Amino acid sequence: MSEFWRGARHSVPIVLSTAPFGALFGAIAVDNGLTVGEATLMSMSVFAGASQIVGMDLFGKHVPGWLIVLSIFAVNFRHVLYSAALVRYVSHFSALQRYVSFFFMTDPQFAETARESRSNPPVSFWWYMGMALTIYILWALFSFVGAYLGGLIGDPKAIALDVLLPVYFLGLVMGFRKQHGWLPIVIASAVGSMVGMYLFGSPWHVTSGALVGVVVGALLPPKNHVKPVDPADLAGEEV
Amino acid sequence: MELFRTDIILIILAAGVATYLTRIGGYLVLARFKNIPPRVEAALDAVPAAVLTSIVAPAAMTGGWEVSVVILAAFVLGFKLSGLRLLFFGWALAMVLRHAPF
């Protein structure tokens, strides 16, 4: 069980940066005609913030249900890449453990699991679930609170809630900086996503940026030897 | 108003199933291969940094000038700070940029 609590502790910065968005989603959902119960259920069944907010936008415009489902599917399509990449980290999980753990896979969960598999392999199932369940329960709880309190949050920009998610994700990107080919991949993805944003708009910039970065990662000259990890490199990466 | 409506619940549950399919999709496809070629492995290794960068970079472009400054500063400080400390720094800098009287 200590692994479970270690995972739960690792989720603290994730919860701090995503809780405002859970509450924001709840408030937006009620604003677009969902009930408190429906908004909470959506956070528990979809559990993917950006796609939930996109879905609310469409609910408010009274588009057909299948189109809402398709849009949420498109926004979440990047998860296909995550589960393909995650297979190697969780190959020692049982089949049931894999099907359970993949349900809880989010952007930060994936990034932290990739990091854990480098710093403390093999990834423990209970470490994974400690992190995943803490994020899941608090995501649902904050969605409920946000929906219940409705418009009380006001302008999220006034208290700078809008910078939390980008800065948190940037911190995760920085955590991979010792990785082979990190800088070319980051530059390629940044350019690819900005061009994608300009040409196709959101959320397709994520697809275009990720594709460019992944192709660059595949085409870079392979590393010829594995350098031993200096423990000092990992010292600052406990969260 | 009732707490749940059947048509809305169906859309929400279908969206949940569709999202779960994206979460297991890569696993189900990759499980069919016995050996992963090195280029494919290098591509998969690049996934986390590539996707996360693609989420952040346009935010630096479209979120307003304060967000651009915060992300640039956080990128530089990210070589020294990590996790919560970097998060707090970014938040504090955004608050100063938006509310300081200059």
Side-chain angles (χ1 to χ4, degrees):
Chain A
M1 273 333 257
S2 69
E3 282 294 301
F4 185 89
W5 294 115
R6 198 171 64 82
R9 273 205 309 280
H10 277 180
S11 74
V12 171
I14 302 171
V15 168
L16 282 178
S17 58
T18 55
F21 293 89
L24 185 68
F25 162 75
I28 292 174
V30 168
D31 196 41
N32 282 285
L34 259 67
T35 67
V36 174
E38 289 160 355
T40 310
L41 181 74
M42 185 153 184
S43 279
M44 295 176 74
S45 78
V46 177
F47 186 43
S51 74
Q52 289 177 225
I53 290 176
V54 167
M56 282 313 102
D57 191 45
L58 296 174
F59 261 114
K61 289 173 181 145
H62 302 287
V63 306
W66 65 267
L67 195 58
I68 297 176
V69 175
L70 189 67
S71 304
I72 289 174
F73 181 76
V75 175
N76 287 327
F77 196 74
R78 67 186 186 285
H79 290 129
V80 171
L81 286 174
Y82 292 167
S83 59
L86 207 60
V87 175
R88 289 164 309 146
Y89 310 142
V90 301
S91 53
H92 54 291
F93 286 15
S94 73
L96 178 66
Q97 286 177 334
R98 286 179 208 175
Y99 283 106
V100 170
S101 54
F102 281 125
F103 175 81
F104 296 102
M105 191 177 55
T106 53
D107 300 287
Q109 179 81 39
F110 171 69
E112 295 288 355
T113 305
R115 185 150 79 193
E116 173 82 358
S117 80
R118 285 182 175 88
S119 63
N120 194 17
V123 174
S124 142
F125 174 71
W126 291 109
W127 172 87
Y128 185 102
M129 290 309 290
M131 170 175 266
L133 283 177
T134 312
I135 300 171
Y136 182 74
I137 290 167
L138 287 166
W139 176 253
L141 185 70
F142 275 94
S143 304
F144 171 80
V145 170
Y148 194 73
L149 296 179
L152 288 187
I153 293 173
D155 179 13
K157 279 194 160 190
I159 45 174
L161 293 185
D162 57 314
V163 303
L164 290 182
L165 218 51
V167 172
Y168 176 71
F169 285 144
L170 180 65
L172 290 178
V173 171
M174 302 307 291
F176 289 105
R177 65 185 181 274
K178 309 283 186 215
Q179 195 185 324
H180 178 72
W182 176 78
L183 192 60
I185 292 169
V186 164
I187 292 172
S189 311
V191 172
S193 64
M194 285 180 174
V195 171
M197 179 67 112
Y198 180 73
L199 292 180
F200 318 114
S202 183
W204 302 108
H205 65 283
V206 181
T207 313
S208 67
L211 270 177
V212 175
V214 166
V215 167
V216 166
L219 296 181
L220 279 176
K223 53 185 168 191
N224 31 26
H225 66 284
V226 181
K227 271 200 298 187
V229 177
D230 179 354
D233 290 348
L234 297 170
E237 300 181 10
E238 75 276 18
V239 286
Chain B
M1 201 171 182
E2 51 203 321
L3 191 55
F4 294 103
R5 289 157 295 179
T6 313
D7 52 336
I8 304 285
I9 293 304
L10 284 178
I11 296 173
I12 287 172
L13 291 180
V17 171
T19 302
Y20 185 58
L21 287 179
T22 68
R23 286 183 164 128
I24 56 169
Y27 163 62
L28 292 180
V29 171
L30 216 72
R32 296 175 184 280
F33 297 94
K34 282 230 165 65
N35 293 309
I36 304 170
R39 290 286 182 196
V40 174
E41 194 168 344
L44 292 177
D45 270 334
V47 169
V51 175
L52 292 165
T53 303
S54 302
I55 295 173
V56 174
M61 201 171 64
T62 60
W65 68 272
E66 319 96 282
V67 179
S68 311
V69 172
V70 167
I71 289 179
L72 268 178
F75 177 78
V76 174
L77 243 87
F79 286 93
K80 286 283 162 214
L81 301 181
S82 67
L84 273 180
R85 276 164 289 185
L86 188 64
L87 199 59
F88 177 77
F89 164 79
W91 173 81
L93 181 61
M95 287 299 277
V96 169
L97 290 176
R98 279 183 187 156
H99 298 290
F102 50 73

